[in-house]
Amino acid sequence: MAPSKVLAGARVVLPTGIVDGGRVIVDGARIAGSAPTRTETVDLSGHWLVPGFVDMHNHGGGGASFTSGTVEEVLQGVHTHRLHGTTTVVASTVTGDMHGLAERAGLLSELAEQGDIAGIHFEGPFISPCRKGAHSEELLRDPDPAEVRKLIDAARGAAKMVTLATELPGGIDSVRLLAEHGVIAAIGHTDATYEQTQEAIDAGATVATHLFNAMPALGHRTPGPIAALLEDERITVELINDGTHLHPASLELAFHHAGADRVAFITDAMDAAGFGDGRYLLGPLEVEVADGVARLVEGGSIAGSTLTLDRAFQRAVTIDRLPVEGVVAALSANPARLLGVYDKVGSLEPGKDADLVVLDAGFGLKGVMRKGEWVVDPQLG
């Protein structure tokens, strides 16, 4: 049996604050409250130690798609994001025909049962053609609660979130259905008014899918969904902090108005994340990735991102100048709570999985541990 590890000397970010020269004890796959007799000390002086990142909106990476890849390819994508600190990932699909999405749900649910992914997020097909982004318009449909239920059932308990344009026919009833089944109803790819968004929140919606993107802009007479989503304490707002999807001022506005406890940094990553420029498919649509920015070949809409959460973290604290504790909450604790897994991951506390990330003084990634095993060993870096 491998010796327990004492990770010592780092600046440790705990739920209670930052501890200088702190230590985290890893016993097997868990964080322990005290060190057993046989321990190995890992000196992390001059580094930061933070919880593993939790990505609740991710379509793939490492050249692999969660929407269309084989089991091996999906696992390849998951591993790519683990190399960048994401120790918990939800696999997001894109709009497709209902039969294909149900089949995909079946495949992904098996990976969820094995613990490889934390569940499934259905982004589409129940979204607005006015705000479709990188989704195939011919495959879009209104959110009929019966069809939403079919996808939930196909996921066999692994459905975590469904993104809906809640102003469409059946939208509010679908939100209620999702809430009753313990699935997050996320408002996104929407053309809703301020009042329609409020109605969806009252019905049980709790997440804003990539706030600002694929929804009407904030207006001074027609505030639209952005104002409703930012002001309501029941909503957690997803933000894509890659420097492309959001102007830094918009990111800062959202972060400070919602507060650190109501933000979830996501990647919205597609196949090219951690892989490189080139041509890819996002669902049935062709995507060109150039200089790390993914756009549809036809029409030029932004098509997901090539972001990894270590880059989102570094950007947030070095460029956006956001507080480290708030960024850690947005990358770990907040999404973990939403997904119902905060008892296992999302913070560095005894009894939880030993999922953690080591960052250097400049917030560059140096090490990643998942369930007590180094995915990226900081001592070999």
Side-chain angles (χ1 to χ4, degrees):
M1 187 176 175
S4 300
K5 303 176 184 72
V6 178
L7 312 180
R11 299 191 78 187
V12 182
V13 182
L14 299 174
T16 51
I18 297 171
V19 177
D20 287 317
R23 65 180 204 156
V24 172
I25 301 161
V26 176
D27 188 13
R30 303 270 188 274
I31 296 171
S34 59
T37 312
R38 192 162 167 250
T39 59
E40 165 198 344
T41 299
V42 180
D43 183 9
L44 296 177
S45 301
H47 292 75
W48 289 86
L49 194 58
V50 301
F53 308 142
V54 180
D55 193 354
M56 56 188 282
H57 186 159
N58 186 319
H59 297 279
S65 166
F66 296 156
T67 296
S68 58
T70 63
V71 168
E72 292 72 22
E73 287 168 341
V74 172
L75 292 175
Q76 175 186 324
V78 169
H79 181 69
T80 295
H81 285 282
R82 284 182 188 165
L83 293 174
H84 292 275
T86 298
T87 49
T88 301
V89 64
V90 170
S92 300
T93 62
V94 296
T95 294
D97 68 81
M98 290 297 291
H99 178 71
L101 284 172
E103 283 194 337
R104 175 61 23 177
L107 180 147
L108 292 173
S109 69
E110 292 182 13
L111 296 179
E113 288 163 12
Q114 295 168 17
D116 296 304
I117 61 173
I120 306 166
H121 162 218
F122 296 102
E123 188 180 19
F126 311 115
I127 60 176
S128 172
C130 305
R131 305 285 174 179
K132 65 182 184 297
H135 291 254
S136 175
E137 186 165 355
E138 309 86 72
L139 296 172
L140 300 183
R141 55 212 298 135
D142 291 338
D144 179 345
E147 295 207 313
V148 174
R149 177 66 188 267
K150 283 179 187 174
L151 286 188
I152 297 173
D153 290 346
R156 301 200 304 263
K160 289 290 185 178
M161 183 162 68
V162 178
T163 292
L164 306 159
T166 52
E167 75 278 9
L168 295 175
I172 297 300
D173 286 339
S174 292
V175 169
R176 292 195 182 101
L177 172 81
L178 291 167
E180 287 167 8
H181 285 80
V183 179
I184 296 165
I187 300 172
H189 289 274
T190 177
D191 206 39
T193 64
Y194 175 83
E195 292 78 14
Q196 287 171 326
T197 306
Q198 286 183 314
E199 184 185 4
I201 297 169
D202 288 339
T206 55
V207 166
T209 293
H210 44 52
L211 188 75
F212 296 107
N213 297 112
M215 59 183 63
L218 184 64
H220 64 294
R221 291 194 191 92
T222 52
I226 293 172
L229 293 164
L230 273 179
E231 73 183 9
D232 199 303
E233 294 187 357
R234 293 170 289 182
I235 292 290
T236 297
V237 297
E238 293 183 345
L239 298 174
I240 308 171
N241 192 18
D242 61 353
T244 298
H245 280 78
L246 295 175
H247 188 284
S250 298
L251 178 105
E252 191 172 344
L253 171 74
F255 197 92
H256 287 296
H257 192 84
D261 291 340
R262 286 182 46 220
V263 172
F265 281 134
I266 59 160
T267 61
D268 194 17
M270 44 79 73
D271 313 18
F275 200 67
D277 290 355
R279 287 275 178 118
Y280 297 86
L281 283 176
L282 186 61
L285 303 179
E286 195 168 12
V287 175
E288 177 77 35
V289 179
D291 297 323
V293 178
R295 292 186 181 275
L296 290 183
V297 171
E298 188 175 331
S301 289
I302 293 177
S305 84
T306 62
L307 186 63
T308 51
L309 284 182
D310 57 332
R311 284 172 41 217
F313 190 118
Q314 188 172 41
R315 182 180 179 86
V317 294
T318 61
I319 295 174
D320 303 311
R321 303 290 181 183
L322 298 176
V324 172
E325 303 100 308
V327 174
V328 167
L331 283 164
S332 301
N334 300 346
R337 284 195 185 96
L338 280 167
L339 297 170
V341 294
Y342 188 65
D343 59 325
K344 298 174 185 171
V345 300
S347 65
L348 300 177
E349 296 178 89
K352 292 194 176 186
D353 290 351
D355 290 3
L356 49 87
V357 175
V358 182
L359 303 166
D360 63 22
F363 300 98
L365 186 136
K366 295 296 290 183
V368 181
M369 177 182 284
R370 184 173 187 273
K371 294 187 184 295
E373 299 289 337
W374 290 116
V375 180
V376 178
D377 192 332
Q379 296 171 299
L380 299 178

